[in-house]
């Protein structure tokens, strides 16, 4: 069986100082080689964290929270795949906050997926409805199923229902799917126990390292 993924989406949080403490606290506790931890920090921290992870040989992977739909060039404020690849292996695409607050549409999301794949970045594409999978062109992606009603609300979706929804998604596209939405130290193992849930994407409970450690200690 493949390792399950525990992904931490820090969103627009965490300073340099806090990030160093987070990494130290979490790596002291982290012993479980059966899971892959992927941190999605803000862009400002990718350089610092990738250096720190390398120097200390920490078992942590890094991802970017977004990617430019364009190649490198005159696109002010955007970060291209080539620039991300210097520091990270994963990229989050089409998070519901980006779809709603920044008007990301399917065309843009598909362009971002192409850019990620061009630079050998692993795209984790977020969808909040099962039928959104129909609009994605590539099969070389992982999906994160995140119902809007569960994001940042403390209203996690029932794991059995999530598993059924993932079955629906996988009849359309045979790709790995992780779940996100109010995952915490209490409920994480209910999701990971389901065979077709390949991991979890955690927002709020990933910010405080002690909360994240609780999650790591409760994965099985
Ligand atoms: P949450 O966020 O864990 O705070 O619900 C999940 C996400 O937005 O990916």
């Amino acid at each position: 069986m493949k390792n399950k993924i525990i992904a931490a989406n820090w969103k627009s949080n965490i300073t340099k100082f806090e990030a160093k403490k987070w990494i130290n606290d979490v790596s002291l506790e982290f012993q479980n080689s059966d899971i892959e931890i992927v941190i999605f920090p803000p862009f400002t921290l990718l350089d610092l964290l990738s250096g720190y992870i390398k120097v200390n040989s920490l078992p942590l992977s890094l991802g970017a929270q977004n990617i430019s739909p364009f190649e490198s060039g005159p696109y002010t404020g955007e970060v291209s795949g080539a620039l991300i690849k210097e520091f990270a292996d994963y990229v989050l695409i089409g998070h519901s906050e980006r779809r709603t607050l920044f008007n990301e549409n399917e065309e843009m999301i598909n362009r971002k997926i192409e850019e990620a794949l061009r630079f050998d970045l692993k795209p984790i594409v977020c969808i909040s409805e099962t039928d959104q999978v129909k609009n994605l062109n590539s099969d070389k992606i992982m999906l994160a199923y995140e119902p809007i009603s569960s994001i940042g609300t403390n209203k996690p979706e029932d794991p059995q229902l999530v598993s059924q929804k993932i079955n629906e998604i996988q009849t359309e596209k045979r790709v790995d799917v992780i779940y996100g939405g109010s995952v915490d130290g209490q409920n994480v193992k209910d999701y990971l126990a389901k065979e077709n849930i390949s991991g979890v994407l955690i927002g709020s409970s990933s910010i405080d390292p002690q909360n994240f450690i609780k999650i790591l200690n409760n994965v099985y």
Side-chain angles (χ1 to χ4, degrees), residues 150-161:
S150 297
I151 296 181
T153 54
N154 259 333
K155 291 194 194 116
E157 189 64 278
D158 171 50
Q160 184 57 35
L161 185 63

Side-chain angles (χ1 to χ4, degrees), residues 3 24-25 33 41 47-48 70-71 75 85 109 112 128 150 171 175 185 193 197 206-207:
N3 286 356
N24 280 327
D25 289 359
S33 56
D47 187 6
L48 172 87
F70 302 103
E71 58 192 25
Y75 305 103
K85 187 62 192 177
I109 287 166
K112 289 183 176 205
S128 49
S150 297
T171 53
V175 294
I197 304 183
S206 74
I207 308 294

Side-chain angles (χ1 to χ4, degrees), residues 9 11 92 95-97 126 144 146 150-154 180-184 201-206:
N9 178 8
K11 306 190 179 182
L92 272 188
H95 189 282
S96 64
E97 286 152 13
C126 303
E146 302 200 296
S150 297
I151 296 181
T153 54
N154 259 333
S182 302
V183 175
D184 60 23
L201 179 55
I202 302 160
S204 328
S205 297
S206 74

Side-chain angles (χ1 to χ4, degrees), residues 10 16 35 42 76 136 174 179 198:
W10 289 355
K16 268 184 356 185
I35 54 176
T76 303
L136 302 173
R174 287 230 50 89
Y179 165 75
S198 295

Side-chain angles (χ1 to χ4, degrees), residues 19 46 58 67 80 88 96 111 119 124 127 135 142 145 148 154 156 159 167 170 184 188 194 196 203 216:
L46 279 177
L58 301 176
I67 181 172
S80 68
S96 64
R111 284 174 66 174
F119 292 95
I124 300 187
I127 56 172
N135 305 325
M142 180 180 288
Y145 172 61
I148 302 254
N154 259 333
N167 272 336
Q170 288 177 328
D184 60 23
V188 64
K194 302 279 177 203
N196 67 351
L216 296 180

